[in-house]
Structure formats: structure tokens, C-alpha cells
Amino acid sequence: MAAAFADLHTDAGLSNLEEYLSNKTFISGNEISKDDVKVYAAVPKKPSGGFPNVSRWYDSIASVLAGRFPGEAVGVRIGGPAAAAAAPAASGATPKEEDDDDLDLFGDETEEEKKAAEVRETAKASSKKKESGKSSVLMDVKPWDDETDMKKLEEAVRSIEMPGLFWGASKLVPVGYGIKKLQIMMTIVDDLVSVDDLVEERLTVEPCNEYVQSCDIVAFNKI
């Protein structure tokens, strides 16, 4: 059975609510609901110390509402009983219709909100799908000759930064005649990095081509 309260602007009405809240945290159930909001609206202000249960409940509801409506209130004036009685007649609405039109602070999502949520979820899924397409690449980077500073060559290679490119481990591998090549691992996001463009537009042009003569892909594996 639904709880009923009356005259919450009086001590008698508050006493009834005080007794009701003696073993409850909220009006209905174990969490705040529209029932709490309706009763809260009927209590003009926080009760005095003579109603500890009501005061505790009032503070809880007030804190929740303050979090949902952080804007600064400047105050409004509500008309008396006569104005309230005249409102339904002027609009042609019955009291039941007026009640249905009350502000629903905890209502269901509107169609617009649901569509917006679906768009956000689709965008997130698309983003995750793009990021999941990755490859592991092993590349040989060859110097011009045996006099090329291989330390500076590696520094030049690793200085290349772009979205979706992650340099990994490396080592120097003897080629012959005192020449060594740099063998280096990298992980790329397929939709963001083209290995061909990386080689042709970054690794074998200035300033890297001062040290880099050519590049070869040794292994290319999807992750």
C-alpha cells in the first residue's frame, strides 16, 4: 500500500513522517525515488531538531538534488490554494493530467537521448575496431658504407614519430666487409601507418638519408 502523508507544513504532519522514517532511509525501497522527491517538495524547509529522522532524510534528498541541479537558484514564488485550484480549470486539464505532467527527475530516457546514446556506442565500437587492426613488422635498415655512424642512424630512425607507430627492440647485424645493418622491430596501427610511405617518405629522404641507404621488410605479421 502506498504511504500517505498530509499537512507536512505542520508539526502534526511532520510527526507522522518522523515515525514513518524511524526504520527507513527513503520513502519507498532502498534508494531515492520519485516518491522521495514528491514528499520533499511538500516539506517547506528542513525541520527543526525535534524531527531527527525527517532531518536526516531531508538532507539526503537535498544533497542528491543539488548534485543533479548545480545551477544557482534565485528563488520562485508559488501562488496560494486559489491560484492552484484555478490552474487546472484554465488549462482544461484534470488533476490527474496535471500530476502526469509533473517534472520527472528520474524518468526513462527520451527517444532523442536513446538515439544519442546509440550513436556514442557506435562511435566507440568503430574506434575500437580501428585500433584493433595492428601489425608487427621487422625491418632491415642499411647504411651507405662501413663508415656510417650506426648509433646516429638508429637515432635518426627512432626520431620518426607518427600516430600509430611504435618502435621496438633493435640490434646490429653484420652484412660483410665490416658493414652492419640495423634490424629493428615496430608495431603499427594498420589504418594509420603505411609501411611503404614510412620508407619512401620518411626513412629514405632528408634528414634520415644522410645515414640510411635503403630499407627492406623482413617480416610482416598481423597481430
Side-chain angles (χ1 to χ4, degrees):
M1 180 180 294
F5 306 98
D7 301 324
L8 293 177
H9 61 287
T10 67
D11 285 351
L14 289 175
S15 295
N16 183 30
L17 182 59
E18 174 71 16
E19 181 179 357
Y20 182 84
L21 291 171
S22 62
N23 60 350
K24 297 178 180 293
T25 302
F26 299 104
I27 299 298
S28 303
N30 297 318
E31 57 185 1
I32 188 171
S33 69
K34 288 187 288 187
D35 292 341
D36 293 278
V37 177
K38 290 181 178 179
V39 177
Y40 176 86
V43 180
K45 62 180 180 179
K46 180 179 178 179
S48 62
F51 304 98
N53 294 326
V54 179
S55 295
R56 168 187 51 76
W57 167 85
Y58 189 95
D59 286 340
S60 297
I61 307 308
S63 65
V64 172
L65 294 180
R68 293 179 65 90
F69 303 98
E72 180 179 357
V74 296
V76 294
R77 180 173 297 175
I78 307 299
S91 64
T94 65
K96 178 63 172 65
E97 290 171 337
E98 288 292 325
D99 182 66
D100 290 342
D101 291 336
D102 284 346
L103 174 64
D104 188 354
L105 300 178
F106 303 93
D108 296 333
E109 289 183 321
T110 65
E111 287 300 319
E112 289 77 8
E113 291 172 333
K114 289 180 180 179
K115 289 180 180 179
E118 290 175 0
V119 170
R120 288 194 297 270
E121 291 302 319
T122 301
K124 289 181 181 179
S126 176
S127 176
K128 290 180 180 179
K129 183 178 180 181
K130 287 184 178 181
E131 292 180 359
S132 64
K134 295 181 180 180
S135 299
S136 176
V137 183
L138 178 62
M139 181 170 62
D140 282 347
V141 183
K142 299 176 182 178
W144 288 104
D145 50 41
D146 60 340
E147 296 182 356
T148 300
D149 189 326
M150 296 302 293
K151 182 177 180 180
K152 290 184 177 181
L153 181 147
E154 182 171 356
E155 290 175 354
V157 171
R158 290 185 181 276
S159 70
I160 297 175
E161 298 180 353
M162 54 193 305
L165 171 63
F166 308 95
W167 295 109
S170 65
K171 64 179 181 179
L172 295 178
V173 179
V175 177
Y177 303 100
I179 300 175
K180 295 182 180 180
K181 64 182 178 182
L182 174 70
Q183 196 167 80
I184 188 168
M185 290 289 301
M186 61 179 172
T187 300
I188 62 171
V189 176
D190 297 333
D191 291 338
L192 299 177
V193 179
S194 164
V195 175
D196 290 339
D197 291 346
L198 175 63
V199 173
E200 295 173 6
E201 299 177 8
R202 304 295 291 273
L203 286 169
T204 55
V205 299
E206 293 183 350
C208 288
N209 65 355
E210 180 180 351
Y211 308 101
V212 177
Q213 188 267 333
S214 63
C215 299
D216 294 321
I217 303 304
V218 178
F220 193 113
N221 298 302
K222 295 289 185 180
I223 298 177

